[in-house]
Amino acid sequence: MFRPLCRTLLAASLLFPPAHLAVHAGNTVLPDLGDESMAVISPAQERKLGENLMRQARRSLAFMNDPEISEYIQSLGQRLVSRSDNPQQDFRFFVIDNPTINAFAVPGGFIGVHTGLILATQNEAELASVLAHETAHITQRHIPRMIAESQRTSLPAMAAILAGILLASSGHQGSEAAIALTSAAVAQKGINYTRSFEEEADRIGMQILANTGFDPHAMPAFFEQMQNLNRLNDTSLPEFLRTHPVTTNRIADSRNRAEQFRVRPAPDSGDFQHVRAKIRALAAGNPGEIARGFRENLAQGKYLNADAERYGYAVALLRTRQLATARTEIGKLVARQPGRTSYRILQAETEMAAGNYKQALSVYADSHAKAPGNAPLVNYYASALLKSGKHRQARDLLKNALQRRPEDPELHRMLAQAAGGIGARYESHKAMAEHYYLSGNPHAAIEQLQLAARFAGDSFYLQSGIEARVAAIKEEIALYQEK
């Protein structure tokens, strides 16, 4: 299911590559070409379009829901956005659990990257170069510009194209034809403008990369790696190359441009190697063999970062429930870096798996006191509290976290469980409604809101709030079902 959707998502990027404003790339000043597109689709409309697609995508794509991996890619992406020409724009970076090499941008500031691409990058700068390129697609407003050029493509038509893309991922017969018919009005212009958008994203992406302190040469280095993959394997082209065609001229152009920047590149962060190790540890396959691979790498010195490799080994051991060995390996890591939150999370999760809830919660409480703003820690801590039957404490923790991350469906799901555990039925159903809504199931969200209404009593405030939320969701359903 993964490959067809990513193909069609990125086919949409060919027709409507995603998004910015005038930028200096080296000594070249790029023109501001976004004004005309503003009259066709506003940034607010583009955002709503992207949010709708993301909710639907959660039903079809294998989102990587590991809190630490998700937080890392969001943090890296935000570093790049903060050094772009539009640092105020709201971006969401997410990871798809898919071994193919791919990345894509969705209207409104949503950027996805496959686990396969993260593992294919040789260093953090290469990964950042891909994210910078996709960020430039968004900030340049490439999709609205394409729609503006067509003049025959309305917002409802664009919504229909995106809905068709998601339909195609489910394998329904006729969905590909539906996409072709819906997008016919803009397909010709889309093909003509793809190359210029890619060149623009390269130029602006490299500027963002250099502004953030990454080596600009990482972009041509990654292009070259992709070109080599293409030469070695002509039967299975990496997904990334289907929508980001790499040529010798493109590589040479990016190398020449990289020479214009004077940047002292920073070394990889420890987080980059740790995330890569965790992805390998959680990959599909025989968990025992994966753990054995880590153990052999450590014994033979085959690693770039010894602590990251040991961390991956400990994650794999926990996955295979070799708890005693996992505890030993984690102990070595904590002894070396007692303040590293990822190690303390793994330590606590090992004790949770062993049934030592009290000890695990003690580790979590201590870590949370030291790093209350650490998002992955909050997710794991809340989950542990729920498993331990401490619903009220979990509820307080989750409500506070949702003030900072209201778009996280998992936080809403856990809040529903916590509220239900203390008998707060209205709050439980309302939280579950938001979970369903954000997960792309608006009809289930409405059902949960209707259940919440039964427990709202005579409160005019609560009842009117539910009615307004139901009306807003129904209006959204009607909008995106429009043909």
Side-chain angles (χ1 to χ4, degrees):
M1 181 174 68
F2 306 149
R3 186 180 293 271
L5 176 57
C6 292
R7 257 202 300 271
T8 47
L9 263 173
L10 286 160
S13 294
L14 275 169
L15 293 175
F16 312 100
H20 194 179
L21 307 133
V23 170
H24 291 268
N27 296 321
T28 304
V29 179
L30 301 177
D32 180 355
L33 301 177
D35 291 342
E36 186 182 353
S37 69
M38 292 285 190
V40 178
I41 175 171
S42 71
Q45 288 174 315
E46 186 187 358
R47 179 71 181 187
K48 292 294 288 184
L49 200 60
E51 288 173 347
N52 179 66
L53 176 60
M54 289 301 296
R55 288 191 294 271
Q56 295 183 59
R58 286 188 179 277
R59 303 181 66 179
S60 305
L61 283 170
F63 277 65
M64 172 62 79
N65 290 320
D66 181 89
E68 292 177 295
I69 296 172
S70 299
E71 179 66 15
Y72 167 74
I73 208 72
Q74 176 66 15
S75 176
L76 177 60
Q78 283 304 133
R79 283 176 59 193
L80 296 163
V81 171
S82 70
R83 302 310 299 269
S84 73
D85 267 21
N86 194 7
Q88 292 80 26
Q89 183 170 354
D90 188 14
F91 273 75
R92 290 289 181 272
F93 296 82
F94 56 96
V95 180
I96 300 299
D97 188 6
N98 190 317
T100 60
I101 300 172
N102 208 357
F104 56 90
V106 174
F110 300 93
I111 293 176
V113 57
H114 286 200
T115 51
L117 187 141
I118 296 174
L119 294 180
T121 52
Q122 301 299 302
N123 51 59
E124 192 168 36
E126 287 189 2
L127 175 57
S129 75
V130 175
L131 296 183
H133 176 96
E134 300 300 335
T135 297
H137 273 316
I138 297 290
T139 58
Q140 281 299 119
R141 303 196 78 233
H142 282 162
I143 289 179
R145 284 164 56 184
M146 187 67 67
I147 297 173
E149 284 293 332
S150 172
Q151 296 181 355
R152 289 174 292 178
T153 307
S154 64
L155 178 61
M158 184 60 189
I161 292 170
L162 295 176
I165 289 166
L166 290 167
L167 179 66
S169 72
S170 65
H172 292 306
Q173 290 186 351
S175 55
E176 294 289 353
I179 294 171
L181 289 171
T182 309
S183 59
V186 292
Q188 185 59 53
K189 287 182 179 293
I191 292 169
N192 292 340
Y193 278 82
T194 296
R195 181 174 297 175
S196 65
F197 280 161
E198 284 297 282
E199 291 173 354
E200 190 170 60
D202 284 352
R203 291 195 297 269
I204 296 168
M206 186 172 289
Q207 179 71 63
I208 294 171
L209 197 65
N211 288 349
T212 314
F214 287 107
D215 185 358
H217 293 87
M219 185 175 285
F222 183 72
F223 287 162
E224 198 165 57
Q225 185 186 346
M226 291 297 95
Q227 188 181 58
N228 290 337
L229 277 176
N230 187 20
R231 288 171 180 160
L232 293 172
N233 195 357
D234 7 295
T235 59
S236 181
L237 192 68
E239 293 287 352
F240 187 79
L241 291 181
R242 297 182 190 276
T243 51
H244 301 76
V246 174
T247 64
T248 302
N249 286 343
R250 186 177 181 185
I251 293 172
D253 185 48
S254 61
R255 284 200 181 281
N256 290 336
R257 193 175 297 112
E259 292 297 329
Q260 299 176 27
F261 295 96
R262 297 290 176 263
V263 176
R264 182 176 296 173
D268 288 351
S269 71
D271 290 341
F272 172 70
Q273 295 297 347
H274 280 73
V275 162
R276 280 166 48 88
K278 191 169 192 181
I279 289 172
R280 287 162 49 212
L282 297 176
N286 186 309
E289 290 181 4
I290 291 172
R292 186 160 48 252
F294 275 104
R295 185 176 66 245
E296 290 173 357
N297 286 347
L298 286 166
Q300 298 168 18
K302 294 168 60 176
Y303 47 74
L304 294 174
N305 182 305
D307 287 346
E309 196 72 13
R310 192 173 303 281
Y311 172 71
Y313 181 37
V315 172
L317 288 169
L318 176 57
R319 187 180 172 193
T320 59
R321 295 194 64 80
Q322 298 179 59
L323 302 182
T325 310
R327 191 179 285 117
T328 299
E329 296 301 321
I330 296 163
K332 295 175 184 176
L333 293 170
V334 172
R336 282 178 52 79
Q337 296 185 60
R340 190 177 185 92
T341 306
S342 59
Y343 294 168
R344 300 308 300 272
I345 288 173
L346 191 54
Q347 184 180 43
E349 286 301 292
T350 301
E351 298 308 325
M352 287 295 295
N356 300 325
Y357 290 1
K358 184 177 180 180
Q359 187 173 342
L361 291 178
S362 175
V363 173
Y364 276 132
D366 178 66
S367 299
H368 185 252
K370 294 174 180 175
N374 186 289
L377 176 62
V378 169
N379 281 58
Y380 281 109
Y381 189 14
S383 178
L385 288 167
L386 290 172
K387 289 175 184 175
S388 306
K390 298 185 179 297
H391 296 96
R392 191 171 299 279
Q393 191 176 345
R395 173 178 174 262
D396 293 342
L397 185 67
L398 290 163
K399 289 184 75 172
N400 185 54
L402 278 165
Q403 292 179 3
R404 297 188 297 274
R405 291 182 285 147
E407 76 294 334
D408 189 331
E410 182 61 13
L411 290 180
H412 286 285
R413 186 198 66 77
M414 288 195 289
L415 178 59
Q417 183 181 346
I422 61 172
R425 301 290 296 277
Y426 165 81
E427 185 180 354
S428 179
H429 286 298
K430 193 165 180 293
M432 202 63 191
E434 292 308 311
H435 165 73
Y436 280 130
Y437 172 75
L438 291 167
S439 300
N441 195 341
H443 296 288
I446 290 173
E447 289 176 4
Q448 287 295 318
L449 287 168
Q450 291 168 341
L451 287 171
R454 299 180 187 179
F455 298 96
D458 297 329
S459 170
F460 173 79
Y461 173 75
L462 296 181
Q463 292 288 0
S464 60
I466 290 174
E467 289 174 8
R469 188 72 180 112
V470 168
I473 294 174
K474 285 182 176 179
E475 183 180 348
E476 207 164 79
I477 292 172
L479 172 63
Y480 290 106
Q481 283 181 344
E482 198 174 329
K483 303 298 181 186

